[in-house]
Amino acid sequence: MSPPGRIYGRPNPGQVGRPTTVQSTAGFPPGSGGFGSARVVPTPRNGRRSQHGAVLVHPPTEQLRGNWLPKPFALAGNGLLTDAQAPVRGKAAPWARHRRGRGTRDHTVPQMYLRHFAQHRARRQYELRARRIDKLDLPFPVMTASIGAEGGFYWGTTLDGKAHHACEELFTLLEGQAETVLKTLLDDRDWALTPHWPLAPAPRSALAWWMAAQVLRTTRQRKRLAHLHPPAEADDALPEEIARFAANNPHLNYIVSNIAAMAAALYGRPWGLGFSDMCLLTSDVPVAIWNRPDEEDQLLALAHSDVMLPLDPHRLLFLPNPRQRMHDPSKRTDHLLHVSGALGMALVDVAFDVADEFVVYHPQHDPWEHWSPSGPRQPKPWAGETHSAPEYLMEYPVFQAHLNIESRWTKEHPPRRKAAS
């Protein structure tokens, strides 16, 4: 039997003590209500590893160098686009397009991603369950197109004072490439953990770029930046709409200045593809940088922390931190993990703690059936919160390469087990 995983959980507020150790092999912790564990079965001998093996290589420079960015992001001067570089579609000029920008609904979380947590209701209709952080007791149904949408959130201005929407166009490009990779990871007919693992360099690069974008594009990121570097007073000479878009420039510049380096850092780390018995949620901060979500140096925080991305209600990507890789050689390459019992609840805790305004989950995979928030979340200094942040350190065994989990357990739930008396 594999050694049990452990999660060092949040200490009681105001107390400093030894972290709690929770065994993860029991399937569920005492008193949780009990959720069953998915059945683990052997994988056919030829169905586990891809031809690319499990050895990590350094990022291919032709895919991750800075000038891989689309042409609209050939940066000038301080990172702002010039008018000549502002992208133009069809015959629309940037000035004409910004007037439509007043009505654009820029999604801060990709609809493509949210659909993996949604129930398909009708053609192009995908329903989620959502909870606002300030109204957790009031869950509500919502379509993927209707949540996480902010008017003009990714509009900016060029050095010449013209409106552009180049950041949104970059995100659209990255999402199109990442969507194919996510389908590879999540849509295998037979297995919950795809046999096409680890990923080849090209899809790995596409997903690394997309993940970097999710770290940088969030509402929480914009609030963090505004708190660290308060915006300058608006220029009264600018038209109102242009002034509003210009206020977005610091965040947009931060995105394009850091996305290439962050993608390279993500690409070069070992990745774990995991299955969780516990139903997972996601939020308006999809990629969780454990324990350091609001560090001033986001690239350094990402390099030294565990990184987690829930992929759907039962699967996730987990990038172990350098300490784990130092002590466990099996985590120095891409690997698999099976998250059972209280360990899965801790993953929900981490995803919940970093959310900015809302969390979402699949209507038939409600984490609240077995879990509820406890203790403080990650503080928001821009909102006046100064409490101590929860901290986590996860230890887990690498899932054996000859085992897998049947794909039906990504949709079905095993019968509940009764807690031992």
Side-chain angles (χ1 to χ4, degrees):
M1 179 179 293
S2 300
R6 291 186 292 172
I7 185 74
Y8 295 104
R10 57 175 94 217
N12 293 328
Q15 293 184 348
V16 177
R18 299 181 63 184
T20 303
T21 301
V22 181
Q23 303 295 328
S24 70
T25 54
F28 62 96
S32 70
F35 54 92
S37 180
R39 183 187 175 199
V40 177
V41 297
T43 305
R45 187 176 299 274
N46 63 352
R48 162 49 46 213
R49 293 296 179 193
S50 73
Q51 60 181 335
H52 306 286
V55 180
L56 285 179
V57 295
H58 291 293
T61 55
E62 69 274 10
Q63 289 176 304
L64 289 176
R65 61 190 178 189
N67 62 6
W68 182 90
L69 285 168
K71 288 182 180 179
F73 281 83
L75 303 183
N78 63 358
L80 290 171
L81 295 171
T82 66
D83 186 30
Q85 291 167 324
V88 179
R89 286 179 177 170
K91 297 181 180 180
W95 181 261
R97 291 178 60 208
H98 96 83
R99 294 192 177 279
R100 294 200 298 273
R102 287 178 294 180
T104 60
R105 289 162 53 82
D106 293 343
H107 285 84
T108 61
V109 187
Q111 295 183 70
M112 171 275 290
Y113 170 71
L114 292 177
R115 282 197 290 269
H116 294 290
F117 292 85
Q119 189 168 12
H120 188 202
R121 293 297 191 188
R123 185 172 180 269
R124 297 183 179 178
Q125 298 292 314
Y126 296 86
E127 183 181 297
L128 300 156
R129 286 291 182 275
R131 295 178 189 243
R132 299 274 177 199
I133 296 301
D134 57 353
K135 297 180 181 179
L136 286 174
D137 295 334
L138 300 174
F140 59 93
V142 65
M143 296 299 174
T144 55
S146 302
I147 195 160
E150 302 275 348
F153 195 77
Y154 297 119
W155 280 83
T157 59
T158 68
L159 289 172
D160 301 321
K162 304 295 178 64
H164 73 80
H165 209 202
C167 232
E168 178 65 22
E169 295 186 6
L170 172 64
F171 296 150
T172 300
L173 172 65
L174 298 180
E175 287 163 21
Q177 296 173 341
E179 184 173 16
T180 302
V181 185
L182 291 178
K183 288 180 179 178
T184 298
L185 294 180
L186 302 177
D187 291 354
D188 190 83
R189 288 188 309 171
D190 301 315
W191 304 111
L193 300 172
T194 178
H196 303 289
W197 184 262
L199 294 172
R204 181 190 186 88
S205 175
L207 195 55
W209 275 90
W210 181 81
M211 289 173 64
Q214 307 324 304
V215 174
L216 297 168
R217 70 185 290 181
T218 64
T219 55
R220 187 180 187 111
Q221 191 73 261
R222 181 167 295 186
K223 293 171 184 176
R224 182 190 72 83
L225 291 169
H227 178 70
L228 290 175
H229 310 287
E233 294 185 6
D235 187 346
D236 295 335
L238 292 175
E240 181 181 351
E241 294 88 351
I242 291 294
R244 182 162 62 89
F245 295 152
N248 298 338
N249 285 341
H251 185 202
L252 304 185
N253 292 339
Y254 185 80
I255 292 171
V256 298
S257 298
N258 288 276
I259 190 169
M262 190 164 286
L266 289 166
Y267 183 101
R269 291 182 56 169
W271 292 10
L273 176 64
F275 179 91
S276 169
D277 291 341
M278 176 69 186
C279 296
L280 303 175
L281 54 75
T282 191
S283 76
D284 50 1
V285 182
V287 178
I289 300 177
W290 283 40
N291 304 329
R292 298 179 176 91
D294 302 310
E295 287 287 308
E296 182 170 0
D297 189 333
Q298 289 279 283
L299 186 59
L300 185 64
L302 181 139
H304 289 280
S305 305
D306 295 315
V307 177
M308 179 182 72
L309 171 67
L311 296 173
D312 73 3
H314 286 282
R315 285 170 289 187
L316 68 148
L317 284 178
F318 189 85
L319 283 60
N321 64 49
R323 175 189 169 277
Q324 290 213 48
R325 305 198 299 267
M326 180 176 64
H327 292 292
D328 188 345
S330 65
K331 295 173 186 170
R332 296 173 190 170
T333 60
D334 289 2
H335 55 278
L336 301 171
L337 58 148
H338 177 200
V339 182
S340 59
L343 205 58
M345 291 187 175
L347 298 184
V348 177
D349 269 329
V350 174
F352 174 78
D353 284 347
V354 300
D356 183 27
E357 296 179 356
F358 63 84
V359 295
V360 294
Y361 50 90
H362 194 286
Q364 296 179 348
H365 298 262
D366 185 350
W368 264 263
E369 290 189 10
H370 307 288
W371 168 91
S372 61
S374 62
R377 299 186 335 112
Q378 291 289 342
K380 298 179 178 180
W382 53 88
E385 297 177 359
T386 59
H387 59 263
S388 299
E391 293 190 357
Y392 292 94
L393 173 63
M394 187 171 83
E395 295 180 1
Y396 63 91
V398 168
F399 199 46
Q400 297 181 40
H402 68 282
L403 299 177
N404 210 320
I405 295 167
E406 296 172 355
S407 64
R408 68 190 181 103
W409 298 120
T410 64
K411 300 177 177 64
E412 302 177 26
H413 292 140
R416 294 191 179 194
R417 296 184 295 176
K418 295 181 179 180
S421 57

